[in-house]
Amino acid sequence: MDHKEDFHSAPTQDFLAFLQEETNQEQKPLVRAPVQGWVQIAFWALRIYVAIMLVIVAIGFARGIH
């Protein structure tokens, strides 16, 4: 049988060094990506669609109460 590495054993020195280096870094601030082109058009279309659906649901709910 082939020897398989035991991943449940103690962490290696390389991993511990990597972990120490990664945890001591300063976090970079998150910035919002610019939305341009067809993506902006798609988002506006979705907003309009949601608004129309809310109006249709409100009309249906209002007529269903009576």
Side-chain angles (χ1 to χ4, degrees):
M1 285 181 88
D2 292 331
H3 172 70
K4 292 187 178 181
E5 190 174 343
D6 183 13
F7 289 105
H8 298 289
S9 63
T12 63
Q13 288 300 326
D14 290 337
F15 176 74
L16 291 175
F18 166 77
L19 187 62
Q20 184 69 24
E21 181 181 326
E22 289 296 315
T23 55
N24 287 337
Q25 291 183 358
E26 185 175 323
Q27 292 183 351
K28 296 178 183 175
L30 294 176
V31 293
R32 184 178 268 192
V35 180
Q36 299 173 349
W38 67 270
V39 175
Q40 190 171 17
I41 294 169
F43 281 146
W44 275 107
L46 283 172
R47 289 179 183 129
I48 293 169
Y49 172 78
V50 168
I52 291 171
M53 289 299 115
L54 286 173
V55 169
I56 291 172
V57 167
I59 291 171
F61 185 74
R63 289 188 178 196
I65 289 177
H66 299 298

Coordinates of all heavy atoms in Angstrom, one line a residue:
M1 N 0.8 -1.2 0.0 CA 0.0 0.0 0.0 C 0.9 1.2 0.0 O 1.9 1.3 0.6 CB -0.9 0.0 1.2 CG -2.1 -0.9 1.2 SD -3.1 -0.8 2.7 CE -4.2 0.5 2.2
D2 N 0.4 2.3 -0.6 CA 1.1 3.6 -0.6 C 0.9 4.3 0.7 O -0.2 4.2 1.3 CB 0.6 4.4 -1.8 CG 0.9 3.9 -3.1 OD1 2.0 3.2 -3.2 OD2 0.2 4.2 -4.1
H3 N 2.0 4.9 1.1 CA 1.9 5.7 2.3 C 1.2 7.0 2.0 O 1.6 7.8 1.1 CB 3.3 6.0 2.9 CG 3.3 6.9 4.0 ND1 2.8 6.6 5.3 CD2 3.7 8.2 4.1 CE1 3.0 7.6 6.1 NE2 3.5 8.6 5.4
K4 N 0.2 7.3 2.8 CA -0.6 8.6 2.6 C -0.2 9.5 3.8 O -0.1 9.0 4.9 CB -2.1 8.4 2.6 CG -2.5 7.6 1.3 CD -4.0 7.6 1.3 CE -4.4 6.9 0.0 NZ -5.9 6.8 -0.2
E5 N -0.1 10.8 3.5 CA 0.2 11.7 4.6 C -1.0 11.9 5.5 O -2.1 12.0 5.1 CB 0.6 13.1 3.9 CG 1.2 14.1 4.9 CD 1.6 15.3 4.3 OE1 1.8 15.3 3.0 OE2 1.8 16.3 5.0
D6 N -0.7 11.9 6.8 CA -1.7 12.0 7.8 C -2.0 13.5 8.0 O -1.2 14.3 8.6 CB -1.3 11.4 9.1 CG -2.3 11.5 10.2 OD1 -3.5 11.8 9.8 OD2 -2.0 11.2 11.3
F7 N -3.1 14.0 7.5 CA -3.5 15.4 7.6 C -4.0 15.8 9.0 O -4.2 16.9 9.3 CB -4.5 15.8 6.6 CG -3.9 15.8 5.2 CD1 -4.2 14.8 4.3 CD2 -3.0 16.8 4.8 CE1 -3.6 14.8 3.0 CE2 -2.5 16.8 3.6 CZ -2.8 15.8 2.7
H8 N -4.2 14.8 9.9 CA -4.7 15.1 11.2 C -3.6 15.2 12.2 O -3.8 15.4 13.4 CB -5.7 14.0 11.6 CG -6.9 13.9 10.8 ND1 -7.9 14.9 10.8 CD2 -7.3 13.1 9.8 CE1 -8.8 14.6 9.9 NE2 -8.5 13.5 9.3
S9 N -2.4 15.1 11.8 CA -1.2 15.1 12.7 C -0.9 16.6 13.0 O -1.5 17.5 12.5 CB 0.0 14.4 12.1 OG 0.4 15.1 10.9
A10 N 0.1 16.8 13.8 CA 0.5 18.1 14.2 C 0.9 19.0 13.0 O 1.5 18.4 12.0 CB 1.7 18.1 15.2
P11 N 0.7 20.3 13.0 CA 1.1 21.1 11.8 C 2.6 21.2 11.6 O 3.3 21.2 12.6 CB 0.5 22.5 12.1 CG 0.2 22.5 13.6 CD 0.0 21.0 14.0
T12 N 3.0 21.3 10.4 CA 4.4 21.4 10.1 C 5.0 22.8 10.4 O 4.2 23.8 10.6 CB 4.7 21.1 8.6 OG1 4.1 22.1 7.8 CG2 4.2 19.7 8.3
Q13 N 6.3 22.9 10.5 CA 6.9 24.2 10.8 C 6.6 25.2 9.6 O 6.4 26.4 9.8 CB 8.4 24.1 11.0 CG 8.7 23.4 12.3 CD 8.2 24.2 13.5 OE1 8.2 25.4 13.5 NE2 7.8 23.5 14.5
D14 N 6.6 24.7 8.4 CA 6.3 25.6 7.2 C 4.9 26.2 7.3 O 4.7 27.3 7.1 CB 6.4 24.8 5.9 CG 7.8 24.4 5.6 OD1 8.8 25.1 6.1 OD2 8.0 23.4 4.8
F15 N 4.0 25.3 7.7 CA 2.6 25.8 7.9 C 2.5 26.8 9.0 O 1.8 27.9 8.9 CB 1.6 24.7 8.1 CG 0.2 25.1 8.4 CD1 -0.5 25.6 7.3 CD2 -0.3 25.1 9.7 CE1 -1.8 26.1 7.6 CE2 -1.6 25.6 9.9 CZ -2.4 26.1 8.9
L16 N 3.2 26.6 10.1 CA 3.1 27.5 11.2 C 3.8 28.8 10.9 O 3.3 29.9 11.3 CB 3.8 26.9 12.5 CG 3.1 25.7 13.1 CD1 3.9 25.1 14.2 CD2 1.7 26.1 13.6
A17 N 4.9 28.8 10.1 CA 5.5 30.1 9.7 C 4.6 30.8 8.7 O 4.4 32.0 8.8 CB 6.8 29.7 9.0
F18 N 3.9 30.1 7.8 CA 3.0 30.7 6.9 C 1.8 31.3 7.7 O 1.4 32.5 7.4 CB 2.4 29.7 5.9 CG 1.2 30.1 5.1 CD1 1.4 31.0 4.1 CD2 0.0 29.7 5.5 CE1 0.2 31.4 3.4 CE2 -1.1 30.1 4.8 CZ -1.0 30.9 3.7
L19 N 1.3 30.6 8.6 CA 0.1 31.1 9.4 C 0.5 32.4 10.2 O -0.2 33.3 10.3 CB -0.4 30.0 10.4 CG -1.6 30.3 11.1 CD1 -2.8 30.5 10.2 CD2 -1.9 29.2 12.1
Q20 N 1.7 32.4 10.8 CA 2.2 33.5 11.5 C 2.3 34.7 10.6 O 1.9 35.8 11.0 CB 3.5 33.2 12.2 CG 4.1 34.3 13.1 CD 3.3 34.5 14.3 OE1 2.6 33.6 14.8 NE2 3.3 35.7 14.9
E21 N 2.8 34.5 9.4 CA 3.0 35.6 8.5 C 1.7 36.2 8.0 O 1.5 37.4 7.9 CB 3.8 35.1 7.3 CG 4.1 36.2 6.3 CD 4.9 35.7 5.1 OE1 5.7 34.8 5.3 OE2 4.6 36.2 4.0
E22 N 0.7 35.3 7.8 CA -0.6 35.8 7.3 C -1.4 36.5 8.3 O -2.2 37.4 8.0 CB -1.3 34.6 6.7 CG -0.8 34.1 5.4 CD -0.8 35.1 4.3 OE1 -1.9 35.7 4.1 OE2 0.2 35.2 3.6
T23 N -1.3 36.0 9.6 CA -2.2 36.6 10.6 C -1.6 37.9 11.1 O -2.4 38.7 11.7 CB -2.3 35.6 11.8 OG1 -1.0 35.3 12.3 CG2 -3.1 34.4 11.4
N24 N -0.4 38.3 10.8 CA 0.2 39.5 11.3 C 0.1 40.6 10.3 O 0.6 41.7 10.5 CB 1.7 39.3 11.7 CG 1.7 38.6 13.0 OD1 0.8 38.5 13.8 ND2 2.9 37.9 13.3
Q25 N -0.5 40.4 9.1 CA -0.6 41.4 8.1 C -1.7 42.3 8.4 O -2.8 41.9 9.0 CB -0.8 40.8 6.7 CG 0.4 40.0 6.2 CD 0.2 39.5 4.8 OE1 -0.9 39.6 4.3 NE2 1.2 38.8 4.3
E26 N -1.6 43.6 8.0 CA -2.6 44.6 8.2 C -3.7 44.4 7.1 O -3.4 44.2 6.0 CB -2.0 46.0 8.1 CG -3.0 47.1 8.4 CD -2.4 48.4 8.4 OE1 -1.2 48.5 8.8 OE2 -3.0 49.4 7.9
Q27 N -4.9 44.4 7.5 CA -6.0 44.2 6.6 C -6.2 45.4 5.7 O -6.1 46.5 6.1 CB -7.3 43.9 7.3 CG -7.4 42.6 8.1 CD -8.7 42.4 8.7 OE1 -9.6 43.3 8.7 NE2 -8.9 41.2 9.3
K28 N -6.4 45.1 4.4 CA -6.6 46.2 3.4 C -8.1 46.6 3.5 O -9.0 45.8 3.6 CB -6.3 45.7 2.0 CG -4.8 45.3 1.9 CD -4.5 44.8 0.5 CE -3.0 44.4 0.4 NZ -2.7 43.8 -0.9
P29 N -8.4 47.9 3.3 CA -9.8 48.3 3.4 C -10.5 47.9 2.1 O -9.9 47.8 1.0 CB -9.6 49.9 3.4 CG -8.3 50.2 2.8 CD -7.4 49.0 3.2
L30 N -11.7 47.5 2.3 CA -12.6 47.1 1.2 C -13.1 48.3 0.4 O -13.5 49.3 1.0 CB -13.7 46.3 1.7 CG -13.4 44.9 2.3 CD1 -14.7 44.3 2.8 CD2 -12.7 44.0 1.3
V31 N -13.0 48.3 -0.9 CA -13.5 49.4 -1.7 C -14.5 48.8 -2.7 O -14.4 47.7 -3.1 CB -12.4 50.1 -2.5 CG1 -11.4 50.8 -1.6 CG2 -11.6 49.1 -3.3
R32 N -15.5 49.6 -3.0 CA -16.6 49.1 -3.8 C -16.1 49.2 -5.3 O -15.5 50.2 -5.7 CB -17.8 50.0 -3.6 CG -19.0 49.6 -4.4 CD -20.2 50.5 -4.1 NE -20.9 49.9 -3.0 CZ -22.1 50.3 -2.7 NH1 -22.7 51.3 -3.3 NH2 -22.8 49.7 -1.7
A33 N -16.4 48.2 -6.0 CA -16.0 48.1 -7.4 C -16.9 49.0 -8.2 O -18.1 49.0 -8.0 CB -16.0 46.7 -8.0
P34 N -16.4 49.8 -9.2 CA -17.3 50.6 -10.0 C -18.1 49.7 -10.9 O -17.7 48.8 -11.5 CB -16.3 51.4 -10.8 CG -15.0 50.7 -10.9 CD -15.0 49.9 -9.6
V35 N -19.4 50.1 -11.0 CA -20.4 49.4 -11.8 C -20.6 50.2 -13.1 O -21.0 51.4 -13.0 CB -21.7 49.2 -11.1 CG1 -22.7 48.5 -11.9 CG2 -21.5 48.4 -9.8
Q36 N -20.2 49.6 -14.2 CA -20.3 50.4 -15.5 C -20.9 49.5 -16.6 O -21.0 48.3 -16.4 CB -18.9 50.8 -15.9 CG -18.2 51.7 -14.9 CD -16.7 51.9 -15.3 OE1 -16.2 51.3 -16.2 NE2 -16.1 52.9 -14.6
G37 N -21.3 50.2 -17.6 CA -21.8 49.5 -18.8 C -23.1 48.8 -18.6 O -24.0 49.3 -18.0
W38 N -23.1 47.6 -19.2 CA -24.3 46.8 -19.3 C -24.7 46.3 -17.9 O -25.9 46.1 -17.6 CB -24.2 45.6 -20.2 CG -23.2 44.6 -19.8 CD1 -21.9 44.6 -20.1 CD2 -23.5 43.5 -19.0 NE1 -21.3 43.5 -19.5 CE2 -22.2 42.8 -18.8 CE3 -24.6 43.0 -18.3 CZ2 -22.1 41.6 -18.0 CZ3 -24.5 41.8 -17.6 CH2 -23.3 41.2 -17.5
V39 N -23.8 46.2 -17.0 CA -24.1 45.8 -15.6 C -24.9 46.9 -14.9 O -25.9 46.5 -14.2 CB -22.8 45.5 -14.8 CG1 -23.1 45.2 -13.4 CG2 -22.0 44.4 -15.5
Q40 N -24.6 48.1 -15.1 CA -25.4 49.2 -14.5 C -26.8 49.2 -15.1 O -27.8 49.4 -14.4 CB -24.7 50.5 -14.8 CG -25.3 51.7 -14.0 CD -24.5 52.9 -14.1 OE1 -23.6 53.0 -15.0 NE2 -24.7 53.9 -13.2
I41 N -26.9 49.0 -16.4 CA -28.2 48.9 -17.1 C -29.0 47.7 -16.5 O -30.2 47.8 -16.3 CB -28.0 48.8 -18.6 CG1 -27.4 50.0 -19.2 CG2 -29.4 48.4 -19.3 CD1 -27.0 49.9 -20.6
A42 N -28.4 46.6 -16.3 CA -29.1 45.4 -15.8 C -29.6 45.7 -14.4 O -30.7 45.3 -14.0 CB -28.1 44.2 -15.8
F43 N -28.8 46.4 -13.5 CA -29.2 46.7 -12.2 C -30.4 47.6 -12.2 O -31.3 47.5 -11.4 CB -28.1 47.3 -11.4 CG -27.1 46.3 -10.8 CD1 -25.8 46.6 -10.7 CD2 -27.5 45.0 -10.5 CE1 -24.9 45.6 -10.2 CE2 -26.6 44.1 -10.0 CZ -25.3 44.4 -9.9
W44 N -30.4 48.6 -13.1 CA -31.5 49.5 -13.2 C -32.8 48.8 -13.7 O -33.9 49.0 -13.2 CB -31.2 50.7 -14.1 CG -30.5 51.8 -13.3 CD1 -29.2 52.2 -13.4 CD2 -31.2 52.6 -12.3 NE1 -29.0 53.2 -12.5 CE2 -30.1 53.5 -11.8 CE3 -32.4 52.8 -11.8 CZ2 -30.4 54.4 -10.8 CZ3 -32.7 53.7 -10.8 CH2 -31.7 54.5 -10.3
A45 N -32.6 47.9 -14.6 CA -33.7 47.1 -15.1 C -34.3 46.2 -14.0 O -35.5 46.1 -13.8 CB -33.3 46.2 -16.2
L46 N -33.4 45.7 -13.1 CA -33.9 44.9 -12.0 C -34.7 45.7 -11.0 O -35.7 45.3 -10.4 CB -32.8 44.2 -11.3 CG -32.2 43.0 -12.0 CD1 -30.9 42.5 -11.3 CD2 -33.2 41.8 -12.0
R47 N -34.2 47.0 -10.8 CA -34.9 47.9 -9.8 C -36.3 48.2 -10.4 O -37.3 48.2 -9.6 CB -34.1 49.1 -9.7 CG -32.9 49.0 -8.9 CD -32.1 50.3 -8.7 NE -30.8 50.1 -8.0 CZ -29.7 50.5 -8.5 NH1 -29.6 51.1 -9.6 NH2 -28.6 50.3 -7.8
I48 N -36.4 48.5 -11.7 CA -37.7 48.8 -12.3 C -38.6 47.6 -12.2 O -39.8 47.7 -11.9 CB -37.5 49.3 -13.7 CG1 -36.7 50.6 -13.7 CG2 -38.8 49.3 -14.5 CD1 -36.2 51.1 -15.1
Y49 N -38.0 46.4 -12.5 CA -38.8 45.1 -12.4 C -39.4 44.9 -11.0 O -40.6 44.6 -10.9 CB -38.0 44.0 -12.8 CG -38.6 42.6 -12.6 CD1 -39.5 42.1 -13.5 CD2 -38.2 41.8 -11.6 CE1 -40.1 40.9 -13.3 CE2 -38.8 40.6 -11.4 CZ -39.8 40.1 -12.3 OH -40.3 38.9 -12.1
V50 N -38.6 45.1 -10.0 CA -39.0 44.9 -8.6 C -40.1 45.9 -8.3 O -41.1 45.6 -7.6 CB -37.8 45.0 -7.6 CG1 -38.3 45.1 -6.2 CG2 -36.9 43.8 -7.8
A51 N -39.9 47.2 -8.7 CA -40.9 48.2 -8.4 C -42.3 47.8 -9.1 O -43.3 47.9 -8.4 CB -40.4 49.5 -8.9
I52 N -42.2 47.4 -10.3 CA -43.5 47.0 -11.0 C -44.1 45.8 -10.3 O -45.3 45.8 -10.1 CB -43.2 46.7 -12.5 CG1 -42.8 48.0 -13.2 CG2 -44.4 46.0 -13.2 CD1 -42.3 47.8 -14.6
M53 N -43.3 44.8 -9.9 CA -43.9 43.6 -9.2 C -44.5 44.0 -7.9 O -45.6 43.5 -7.5 CB -42.8 42.6 -9.0 CG -42.3 41.9 -10.3 SD -43.7 41.0 -11.1 CE -43.8 41.9 -12.6
L54 N -43.9 45.0 -7.2 CA -44.5 45.4 -5.9 C -45.8 46.1 -6.1 O -46.8 45.9 -5.4 CB -43.5 46.3 -5.2 CG -42.3 45.7 -4.5 CD1 -41.4 46.7 -4.0 CD2 -42.7 44.7 -3.4
V55 N -45.9 46.9 -7.2 CA -47.2 47.5 -7.5 C -48.3 46.5 -7.9 O -49.4 46.5 -7.4 CB -47.0 48.5 -8.7 CG1 -48.4 49.0 -9.2 CG2 -46.2 49.7 -8.2
I56 N -47.9 45.5 -8.7 CA -48.8 44.4 -9.1 C -49.3 43.6 -7.8 O -50.5 43.3 -7.7 CB -48.2 43.5 -10.1 CG1 -48.1 44.3 -11.4 CG2 -49.0 42.3 -10.3 CD1 -47.3 43.5 -12.5
V57 N -48.4 43.3 -7.0 CA -48.7 42.6 -5.7 C -49.6 43.4 -4.9 O -50.6 42.9 -4.3 CB -47.5 42.1 -5.0 CG1 -47.8 41.6 -3.6 CG2 -46.7 41.1 -5.8
A58 N -49.3 44.7 -4.7 CA -50.2 45.6 -3.9 C -51.6 45.7 -4.5 O -52.6 45.7 -3.7 CB -49.5 47.0 -3.8
I59 N -51.7 45.8 -5.8 CA -53.0 45.9 -6.4 C -53.8 44.6 -6.2 O -55.0 44.6 -5.9 CB -52.9 46.2 -8.0 CG1 -52.4 47.6 -8.2 CG2 -54.2 45.9 -8.7 CD1 -52.0 47.9 -9.6
G60 N -53.1 43.4 -6.4 CA -53.8 42.2 -6.2 C -54.2 42.0 -4.7 O -55.2 41.4 -4.4
F61 N -53.3 42.4 -3.8 CA -53.7 42.3 -2.4 C -54.9 43.2 -2.0 O -55.8 42.8 -1.3 CB -52.4 42.7 -1.5 CG -52.6 42.5 -0.1 CD1 -52.6 41.2 0.5 CD2 -52.8 43.6 0.8 CE1 -52.8 41.0 1.8 CE2 -53.0 43.4 2.1 CZ -53.0 42.1 2.7
A62 N -54.9 44.4 -2.6 CA -56.0 45.4 -2.3 C -57.3 44.8 -2.8 O -58.3 45.0 -2.2 CB -55.6 46.7 -2.9
R63 N -57.3 44.2 -4.0 CA -58.5 43.7 -4.6 C -58.9 42.4 -3.9 O -60.1 42.1 -3.8 CB -58.3 43.4 -6.1 CG -58.2 44.7 -6.9 CD -58.2 44.3 -8.3 NE -58.2 45.6 -9.1 CZ -58.5 45.6 -10.4 NH1 -58.8 44.6 -11.0 NH2 -58.4 46.8 -11.0
G64 N -58.0 41.7 -3.3 CA -58.4 40.5 -2.6 C -59.0 40.7 -1.2 O -59.7 39.9 -0.7
I65 N -58.7 41.9 -0.7 CA -59.3 42.2 0.7 C -60.8 42.4 0.5 O -61.6 42.0 1.4 CB -58.6 43.5 1.3 CG1 -57.2 43.1 1.6 CG2 -59.4 44.0 2.5 CD1 -56.4 44.3 2.2
H66 N -61.3 43.0 -0.5 CA -62.7 43.4 -0.6 C -63.5 42.2 -1.0 O -63.4 41.3 -1.6 CB -62.9 44.5 -1.7 CG -62.2 45.8 -1.3 ND1 -62.5 46.5 -0.2 CD2 -61.2 46.4 -1.9 CE1 -61.7 47.5 -0.1 NE2 -60.9 47.5 -1.1

